[in-house]
Amino acid sequence: MSRIFISWELGANFGHLTRLMPIAEQLRHKHELFFAVRDTEVAAALLEPQGFLFTQAPFWHGRACLSAPPINYAELLIAEGYCQQDGLSGMLRSWLSLFRIFQPDVVVADYSPTALLAAHIAKIPAVCIDNGFGLPPNIAPLPSIRSWESITEQRLQHAEEKVLCSINSVCRAFGGPALERLADLFNIEGTVLTTFAELDHYGRRNETEYAGPIFSNAGGQAMHWQNTHRRKVIAYLRPSVPGIDNLLKTLAELDAEVICVVPGLKRLNRAIANRLRIYVKPVQLDNIILSADLMVSYAGSGTVCCALLAGVPLLLVPQNVEQYVFSCRVDELGAGLVMGTNRSEADFRISLQQLLDEGRFRAAAKAFASRHSGFHPEQAVSFAVRVIETVIYTYRTSQFGAFVPSPAGEG
């Protein structure tokens, strides 16, 4: 039985663990697993009921003062304390301590750059599982994440050199090998891109195999449409979505049946609540997604992929740069519209009516669904499990010789 350490370091909400859990469920039959997570409240809701052990992932408690929003992955790392030597050293020492306690055969990392760096120093094989944004392409300098802005190559290079200098200084202090490029942090034993090529945040990558998204639309409360004659809209939002009050007011005015899921919503205008079917906990989408006319989403990758595979167009209301870049990919497909910073009731009304009235959006969504008609998330789960077990088998073979059971359990 191998020991698998699963890390989730950056990012928020349920998406990361929702992606990791089906993989962990398959692996637990033959391996011992342990999680280090960004959000222990989310882990308590998802991991604890399934009997998975977890602890708080190390993270930097400080705040970096950037003069502008991060322009690439290097500046995202600066914002997470990578240019603060004490901060980075402290995080690394914490990850290495966790590795020393658990003694993993492999580290499985979801948006976990410092866990990958610790694995690099400790010479533990690693597998990166990501929907694209947290696994940048193998180029130097790492590309811009703000393609709508004019970012010079010099600025990208400067950010990379600054972070690389800090990383290599800490690597030397811990006795680990230096990195030649920041992208080398991700040149590891295995990678699993859990997205479709058309939706990759950085654009389609040549010679890259895409596993496809991992999501479940069966969890939560069972749902059914109540009115067969009206148009049907599903909204999956967060209270933190900018402009959510205006959006909910506009949804309430639609001549449509609206199922609105807003986990964490505390209060709502009674008049709006009477016009919408509001749920504050996850719902099952299986019975309603195929007959929906529109999905409104804050651009969580699982929800977006679920809608597109059902041929349903989207109105996207992203909260951060990762979600905005992902939304732009949907917009480029012609299968949805992205709300920018203008989010008045009038702005939402125009976009919603456009999506419901113009057939080109549904046609593009159905074309996407047709291209991927044979896909099921279980395929991506099996792909990830094969990659992880192959890495374990390869590492054990190199360490102990050829007489090691194969991933399939054959002698």
Side-chain angles (χ1 to χ4, degrees), residues 196 198 212-213 215 290 305-311 364-379:
F196 295 115
E198 306 99 307
F215 63 89
L290 290 174
C305 289
C306 175
L308 289 176
L309 288 170
K366 285 188 174 295
F368 181 95
S370 179
R371 289 196 300 274
H372 300 284
S373 59
F375 175 78
H376 190 277
E378 275 300 317
Q379 297 169 228

Side-chain angles (χ1 to χ4, degrees), residues 176-354:
L179 302 176
E180 292 185 10
R181 310 171 307 154
L182 191 50
D184 292 338
L185 181 61
F186 308 97
N187 285 340
I188 53 181
E189 287 73 16
T191 57
V192 181
L193 269 171
T194 57
T195 188
F196 295 115
E198 306 99 307
L199 299 176
D200 191 334
H201 295 76
Y202 293 99
R204 186 186 296 267
R205 310 183 199 199
N206 296 328
E207 301 178 359
T208 296
E209 185 173 2
Y210 289 88
I214 298 174
F215 63 89
S216 172
N217 55 13
Q221 183 177 342
M223 285 288 109
H224 298 278
W225 294 110
Q226 296 174 343
N227 192 318
T228 57
H229 303 294
R230 301 172 74 195
R231 289 189 287 193
K232 301 169 181 63
V233 177
I234 304 170
Y236 211 110
L237 303 167
R238 290 277 170 184
S240 53
V241 167
I244 189 170
D245 290 338
N246 290 335
L247 175 54
L248 292 175
K249 288 178 185 177
T250 311
L251 287 170
E253 294 170 1
L254 282 179
D255 182 17
E257 181 179 354
V258 182
I259 294 176
C260 193
V261 187
V262 194
L265 184 67
K266 301 298 183 185
R267 64 182 187 276
L268 184 64
N269 179 284
R270 182 171 295 180
I272 295 174
N274 290 338
R275 296 289 305 275
L276 303 173
R277 294 174 59 188
I278 297 285
Y279 301 90
V280 297
K281 293 185 178 180
V283 305
Q284 295 179 20
L285 298 180
D286 273 354
N287 294 331
I288 58 175
I289 188 64
L290 290 174
S291 52
D293 295 291
L294 178 65
M295 169 74 84
V296 181
S297 168
Y298 65 92
S301 60
T303 305
V304 169
C305 289
C306 175
L308 289 176
L309 288 170
V312 178
L314 293 121
L315 176 65
L316 296 159
V317 284
Q319 305 176 92
N320 55 47
V321 65
E322 176 185 352
Q323 293 168 359
Y324 183 75
V325 173
F326 188 60
S327 300
C328 289
R329 295 292 174 261
V330 178
D331 186 273
E332 290 164 6
L333 290 171
L337 292 175
V338 187
M339 298 302 299
T341 55
N342 297 324
R343 299 189 178 187
S344 67
E345 290 181 52
D347 293 320
F348 282 123
R349 190 176 300 113
I350 291 169
S351 295
L352 286 166
Q353 287 303 145
Q354 191 177 354

Side-chain angles (χ1 to χ4, degrees), residues 44 78 147 189 191 212 337 345 361 382 400 411:
I78 292 174
S147 59
E189 287 73 16
T191 57
L337 292 175
E345 290 181 52
F361 296 104
S382 297
F400 305 112

Side-chain angles (χ1 to χ4, degrees), residues 16 36 59 66 130 157 208 213 265 297 352:
H16 300 273
F59 66 95
L66 297 177
D130 201 275
Q157 186 67 45
T208 296
L265 184 67
S297 168
L352 286 166

